């Protein structure tokens, strides 16, 4: 377990579960590597006329249950290993919530804060041009992730239409509703996180009205999670983003902070700025929600977490050693592949709406998300209680996902 990379962590967990399920070892052989990874060099003409190239990736881990599905991340630390791991987790996520998708993920090694708006649009369009051979509505369907949003999806959609010479709205999800996006997609991941948190509170017989929450990350997922909790009268006492740590033991004014974020783009300079981002791990709270990047809950930071519940809104926020500490400390962990599945769930609703030229009202989207997410939580919980007694929700989630993937491989004649 010594400092396993995310891909090694995925492989070790899959291998363990394949052995426990006593299914064909070929299931592990098929899942241990991505189906394909495309690496591209993206030329971008900067505003000063010079040309710079950026590296982009798209990994399709599996198309067993349907086309590849997963977001595109713009971040300076994107690398092939990270994109691969993120695509592997997508395969498990879509299997757990029973979506007709496989797993994929993409990224560009870039700090989008250093690009002008024109440059960002050109980079987004160039990414689609370079990836055109491997993406498409029945092949691999992108969506937003860290530092990408509806605006970027709209540009990418437009570029794909130009390349194909026709409208293909199901090529990408998370686009603005005015051009075929689903109502509720922007809020979907955070909304789904809160469904999971409320279910966990009920199972652990904790009172939401006295529950205190700390959240790391205040972007799309973190801010919507905070706002939904606030709307449910659950007190969010601390929030950190990359620049700031904000704390109030009596509960933060989340709507005010969301307004601030919308105007300024981050929490830097918010008037209650009173610590450094790492202080989030020390907060006295009942629920801790990592909603930033991978590998944040390590052997060290896990020791500081005082919560009874960790709800993994981010992908891969916990290292193997951090996970061991959380388990030893009896913390109930809602694993990422379940906890943050609300986003891809509403992406699936968007893809279905595009396919049938339909537009669902927000209440319809939210009601179905709440119902399907609560059911997925219950199925993983039941698996933990009945079949995997004394093991973790993460183990149960992997068990359920691999069982479904194994069954699908058998049905398709890939394994005996
Ligand atoms: N956007 C989506 O629909 C989905 C996102 N996710 C995952 O959720 C996580 C967050 O994604 P988004 O909210 O979309 O990204 P985002 O780019 O909107 O926000 C990221 C947030 O993390 C903060 N952050 C980065 N490093 C940090 C650090 N060291 N300490 C504290 N805060 C830090 C940033 O300041 C920002 O507030 C990622 O792991 C992503 O893969 C998972 C499912 C769907
Ligand atoms: O909405 C989607 O298709 C994928 C979202 C995503 O990237 C994720 O769940 O990590």
């Amino acid at each position: 377990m010594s400092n396993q990379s995310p891909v090694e962590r995925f492989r070790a967990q899959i291998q363990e579960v394949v052995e426990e399920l006593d299914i064909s070892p070929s299931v592990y052989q098929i899942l241990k590597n991505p189906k394909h990874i495309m690496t591209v060099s993206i030329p971008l003409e900067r505003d000063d006329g010079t040309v710079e190239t950026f590296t982009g990736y798209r990994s399709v881990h599996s198309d067993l249950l349907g086309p590849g599905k997963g977001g595109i991340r713009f971040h300076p630390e994107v690398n092939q290993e990270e994109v691969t791991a993120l695509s592997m987790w997508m395969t498990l996520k879509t299997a757990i919530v029973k979506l007709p998708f496989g797993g994929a993920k993409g990224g560009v090694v870039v700090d989008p804060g250093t690009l002008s708006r024109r440059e960002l649009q050109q980079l987004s369009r160039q990414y689609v041009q370079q990836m055109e051979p491997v993406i498409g509505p029945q092949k691999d369907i992108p969506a937003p992730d860290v530092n990408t949003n509806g605006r970027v999806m709209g540009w990418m959609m437009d570029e794909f239409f130009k390349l194909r010479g026709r409208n293909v709205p199901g090529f990408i999800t998370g686009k603005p509703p005015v051009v075929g996006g689903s109502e509720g997609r922007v809020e979907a991941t955070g909304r789904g996180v809160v469904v999971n948190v409320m279910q966990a509170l009920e199972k652990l017989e904790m009172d939401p009205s006295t529950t205190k929450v700390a959240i790391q990350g205040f972007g799309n997922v973190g801010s919507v999670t905070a706002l939904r909790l606030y709307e449910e009268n659950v007190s969010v006492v601390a929030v950190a983003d990359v620049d700031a740590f904000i704390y109030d033991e009596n509960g933060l004014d989340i709507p005010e902070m969301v307004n601030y974020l919308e105007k300024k783009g981050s929490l830097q300079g918010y008037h209650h700025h009173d610590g450094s981002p790492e202080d989030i791990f020390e907060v006295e709270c009942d629920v801790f929600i990592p909603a930033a990047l991978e590998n944040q809950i390590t052997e060290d930071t896990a020791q500081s977490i005082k919560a009874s519940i960790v709800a993994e809104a981010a992908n891969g926020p916990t290292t193997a050693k951090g996970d061991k500490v959380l388990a030893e400390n009896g913390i109930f962990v809602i694993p990422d592949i379940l906890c943050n599945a609300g986003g891809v769930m509403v992406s699936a609703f968007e893809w279905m709406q595009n396919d049938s030229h339909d537009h669902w009202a927000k209440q319809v989207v939210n009601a179905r998300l709440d119902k399907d997410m609560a059911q997925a939580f219950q199925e993983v919980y039941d698996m933990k209680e009945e079949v995997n007694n004394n093991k973790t929700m993460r183990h149960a989630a992997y068990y359920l996902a691999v069982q479904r993937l194994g069954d699908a491989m058998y049905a398709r004649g890939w394994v005996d």
Side-chain angles (χ1 to χ4, degrees):
M1 193 196 284
S2 59
N3 295 328
Q4 271 176 333
S5 74
V7 168
E8 288 165 347
R9 201 156 83 222
F10 169 87
R11 288 189 183 134
Q13 282 162 323
I14 297 294
Q15 191 160 29
E16 181 191 334
V17 169
V18 166
E19 282 164 15
E20 281 174 19
L21 280 164
D22 200 17
I23 53 178
S24 166
S26 307
V27 172
Y28 169 71
Q29 289 302 320
I30 293 170
L31 290 176
K32 78 175 189 188
N33 287 318
K35 185 168 181 272
H36 66 244
I37 304 175
M38 177 97 158
T39 306
V40 293
S41 181
I42 307 171
L44 173 71
E45 188 184 324
R46 304 296 305 252
D47 289 343
D48 65 6
T50 59
V51 173
E52 206 175 317
T53 53
F54 294 85
T55 305
Y57 301 100
R58 187 75 189 170
S59 165
V60 175
H61 173 248
S62 171
D63 59 1
L64 171 68
L65 297 176
K69 187 83 191 85
I72 299 174
R73 175 176 291 200
F74 286 175
H75 195 277
E77 279 156 36
V78 162
N79 56 67
Q80 184 169 318
E81 152 88 26
E82 181 189 57
V83 172
T84 304
L86 288 162
S87 71
M88 290 168 154
W89 293 324
M90 285 306 302
T91 300
L92 302 179
K93 196 182 299 185
T94 53
I96 287 177
V97 291
K98 298 187 191 146
L99 300 177
F101 292 137
K105 203 79 171 198
V108 179
V109 190
V110 62
D111 177 355
T114 62
L115 302 183
S116 70
R117 192 176 174 81
R118 187 201 67 86
E119 290 169 338
L120 189 61
Q121 177 167 173
Q122 284 313 310
L123 186 75
S124 306
R125 287 179 180 278
Q126 287 283 351
Y127 180 86
V128 170
Q129 283 188 22
Q130 305 277 337
M131 292 296 176
E132 203 261 342
V134 291
I135 50 185
Q138 300 302 333
K139 248 188 205 171
D140 175 14
I141 307 155
D145 191 68
V146 173
N147 289 330
T148 59
N149 54 23
R151 190 98 190 91
V152 173
M153 298 304 112
W155 294 329
M156 289 186 167
M157 181 189 88
D158 189 68
E159 193 59 32
F160 195 75
F161 289 7
K162 281 187 186 157
L163 290 168
R164 291 288 162 100
R166 63 191 166 93
N167 282 14
V168 196
F171 142 71
I172 203 161
T173 61
K175 49 199 181 282
V178 69
V179 288
S182 179
E183 303 294 341
R185 174 59 185 89
V186 172
E187 301 88 3
T189 309
R191 188 177 179 94
V193 170
V194 175
V195 173
N196 278 282
V197 170
M198 300 311 272
Q199 296 271 315
L201 290 174
E202 197 182 312
K203 298 290 181 210
L204 301 185
E205 296 179 355
M206 291 164 68
D207 179 357
S209 71
T210 57
T211 294
K212 293 183 179 210
V213 181
I215 304 178
Q216 186 205 35
F218 204 65
N220 170 277
V221 179
S223 67
V224 173
T225 300
L227 197 57
R228 282 290 304 134
L229 287 167
Y230 182 90
E231 287 163 2
E232 295 283 340
N233 292 319
V234 179
S235 178
V236 179
V237 295
V239 165
D241 74 3
V242 73
D243 299 309
F245 169 73
I246 321 287
Y247 175 74
D248 185 337
E249 63 176 338
N250 297 314
L252 295 165
D253 184 343
I254 300 297
E256 183 184 271
M257 289 168 66
V258 170
N259 275 336
Y260 187 90
L261 179 74
E262 277 166 10
K263 285 196 194 100
K264 307 275 181 179
S266 93
L267 292 174
Q268 194 171 31
Y270 182 72
H271 59 89
H272 296 299
H273 186 166
D274 39 19
S276 71
E278 304 76 54
D279 293 344
I280 196 76
F281 295 104
E282 309 286 339
V283 171
E284 289 290 342
C285 62
D286 305 293
V287 181
F288 181 80
I289 305 183
L293 298 174
E294 299 93 77
N295 300 330
Q296 297 299 304
I297 304 181
T298 61
E299 193 174 18
D300 284 346
T301 57
Q303 296 288 5
S304 309
I305 294 176
K306 298 165 186 69
S308 310
I309 297 171
V310 167
E312 293 183 336
N315 284 305
T318 310
T319 66
K321 286 183 177 175
D323 207 24
K324 189 159 176 281
V325 173
L326 296 181
E328 282 163 4
N329 291 346
I331 297 176
F332 184 94
V333 178
I334 311 170
D336 49 3
I337 53 173
L338 169 67
C339 191
N340 68 31
V344 70
M345 201 178 257
V346 174
S347 277
F349 300 164
E350 182 170 328
W351 186 67
M352 292 172 201
Q353 290 170 71
N354 293 155
D355 203 37
S356 56
H357 308 282
D358 202 354
H359 189 82
W360 304 356
K362 196 168 197 165
Q363 298 92 304
V364 174
V365 172
N366 286 346
R368 183 150 176 202
L369 166 64
D370 292 353
K371 179 172 132 303
D372 291 0
M373 202 69 239
Q375 186 182 329
F377 179 97
Q378 188 64 48
E379 284 176 9
V380 174
Y381 188 82
D382 288 346
M383 179 65 86
K384 173 179 113 59
E385 291 291 290
E386 289 161 30
V387 183
N388 301 88
N389 208 5
N390 288 328
K391 292 220 174 174
T392 61
M393 286 286 280
R394 191 186 315 283
H395 182 268
Y398 272 69
Y399 202 89
L400 205 56
V402 172
Q403 198 171 47
R404 286 185 184 147
L405 293 164
D407 286 350
M409 286 181 201
Y410 180 77
R412 291 185 65 169
W414 293 10
V415 301
D416 290 323

